[in-house]
Amino acid sequence: MGSNAREAILAAARTTAQAHGYGGLNFRDLAAEVGIKAASIHYYYPTKADLGAAVARRYWEDAAGALESLSARTPNALRCLRRYPDIFRKALESDNRICLCSFMAAEADDLPDAVKKEVQTFADVNVAWLSRLLSAAAVAGAEESESRARAIFAAVAGAQLMARSRSDIALYDALIESYRSAGLLPA
């Protein structure tokens, strides 16, 4: 049961955190969802902070893998940049969820330091990838690629948040297109 239970706990915690944030993580509810005792979760994750940090770490590791996979499948940097918002759109397509780390970032004042660090790493991974692709596509010079990457990341996460608050994925699509029209995202 070892690694299977750990993976089931992380999967359930990810789904919960995407819908309810760090504050929504509850060992008793997660145990019921996974079909184990709450004490079993404590075996793998002694505290809520340990669980929150683990789920946020796994989330950014998966995101980093997805970004690198996108780069490998789509060697054209401009096409990669155009497809970037699709990654965030997928969460909305899944029961109107949002990016786990975006949700947790909104709870920053209440997060343990270990969780906050993992959430910040998610943003750093996205910004570094975007910056690299902006430079590779010759959309932004080396001196401006990081600030533009931060703006793109913030804008896409913000579009996701607005769309979720209205349960309207078409709003997300419209916002992304407006970013392209305004020149923030490459067309």
Side-chain angles (χ1 to χ4, degrees):
M1 180 164 153
S3 67
N4 289 341
R6 183 185 306 272
E7 292 304 313
I9 293 164
L10 282 177
R14 176 183 177 147
T15 301
T16 297
Q18 282 186 279
H20 306 289
Y22 178 78
L25 293 176
N26 175 298
F27 280 35
R28 196 170 322 140
D29 293 344
L30 289 171
E33 184 176 337
V34 174
I36 60 177
K37 294 181 181 192
S40 296
I41 295 178
H42 285 285
Y43 172 78
Y44 297 105
Y45 306 102
T47 67
K48 183 176 175 177
D50 294 326
L51 175 61
V55 78
R57 181 179 322 106
R58 172 66 62 84
Y59 193 80
W60 74 252
E61 289 171 347
D62 289 350
L67 292 171
E68 292 310 316
S69 177
L70 176 58
S71 295
R73 285 189 328 270
T74 312
N76 181 302
L78 204 52
R79 281 196 194 127
C80 279
L81 289 167
R82 183 151 178 78
R83 294 180 62 198
Y84 176 75
D86 297 343
I87 295 169
F88 287 77
R89 190 180 197 280
K90 286 179 185 169
L92 289 167
E93 292 170 347
S94 179
D95 295 326
N96 199 38
R97 289 188 174 84
I98 63 170
C99 167
L100 177 142
C101 288
S102 294
F103 204 137
M104 287 186 174
E107 302 172 291
D109 290 345
D110 299 322
L111 293 178
D113 287 341
V115 179
K116 199 179 299 187
K117 177 183 172 284
E118 300 300 340
V119 168
Q120 290 167 349
T121 300
F122 175 81
D124 294 344
V125 163
N126 278 267
V127 168
W129 184 86
L130 286 164
S131 180
R132 188 178 83 223
L133 275 269
L134 287 165
S135 291
V139 171
E143 63 284 344
E144 70 179 52
S145 66
E146 185 174 341
S147 63
R148 182 149 176 202
R150 286 184 193 283
I152 290 170
F153 174 72
V156 171
Q160 188 186 54
L161 184 60
M162 283 187 70
R164 181 178 195 255
S165 73
R166 290 168 175 78
S167 296
D168 184 1
I169 202 164
L171 175 59
Y172 179 80
D173 295 337
L175 287 166
I176 296 303
E177 283 310 311
S178 74
Y179 299 158
R180 288 187 176 117
S181 295
L184 176 62
L185 281 172

